[in-house]
Amino acid sequence: MFAELNGGGIDWGIDTEDLPYKKVSELDQKGKYVVKGMFINRNKSEKDLKEYGASVVLILDGVLLSAPNHYENAVQSILDDPEKVQAVKDGKCAIGDFYTYESHGKTCYAFKWLDN
């Protein structure tokens, strides 16, 4: 009952230990990527959480994608929904249709969620 509070989250069945991290800007912007799993890293200092937010990570084929933190609510809604979790495990979730926008003088990258 209480062991689940130790973290670990959902077992996606993928060994992520040696996977490299990439930013959205490093992906082929014309590509479509199947999402194999996801997690939200909130193990940061209180100061960093306030300044930067949690780290949203998507597990793609051979890479961990550091997603913009404005995807946190979407990822949390997937993690909270057993049907959506199973759909991700079944390979039915993807990202694509990448686009950029300007915010606070910076170029920001974003994507759309896709059915696969």
Side-chain angles (χ1 to χ4, degrees), residues 15-83:
D15 181 5
T16 60
E17 189 168 332
D18 293 325
L19 294 181
Y21 279 88
K22 285 194 175 184
K23 299 175 187 176
V24 175
S25 62
E26 296 175 292
L27 297 179
D28 175 1
Q29 301 297 293
K30 295 182 184 346
K32 176 180 174 183
Y33 299 87
V34 175
V35 177
K36 301 182 178 280
M38 60 193 68
F39 58 92
I40 300 171
N41 181 2
R42 294 186 177 97
N43 292 330
K44 297 180 171 186
S45 71
E46 190 174 324
K47 178 183 180 270
D48 283 349
L49 276 173
K50 285 181 182 177
E51 188 170 343
Y52 303 111
S55 297
V56 178
V57 180
L58 304 183
I59 305 168
L60 307 180
D61 191 26
V63 68
L64 296 172
L65 180 69
S66 294
N69 62 2
H70 62 84
Y71 288 99
E72 181 179 357
N73 289 340
V75 168
Q76 189 63 58
S77 74
I78 293 168
L79 297 174
D80 290 342
D81 184 333
E83 187 176 340

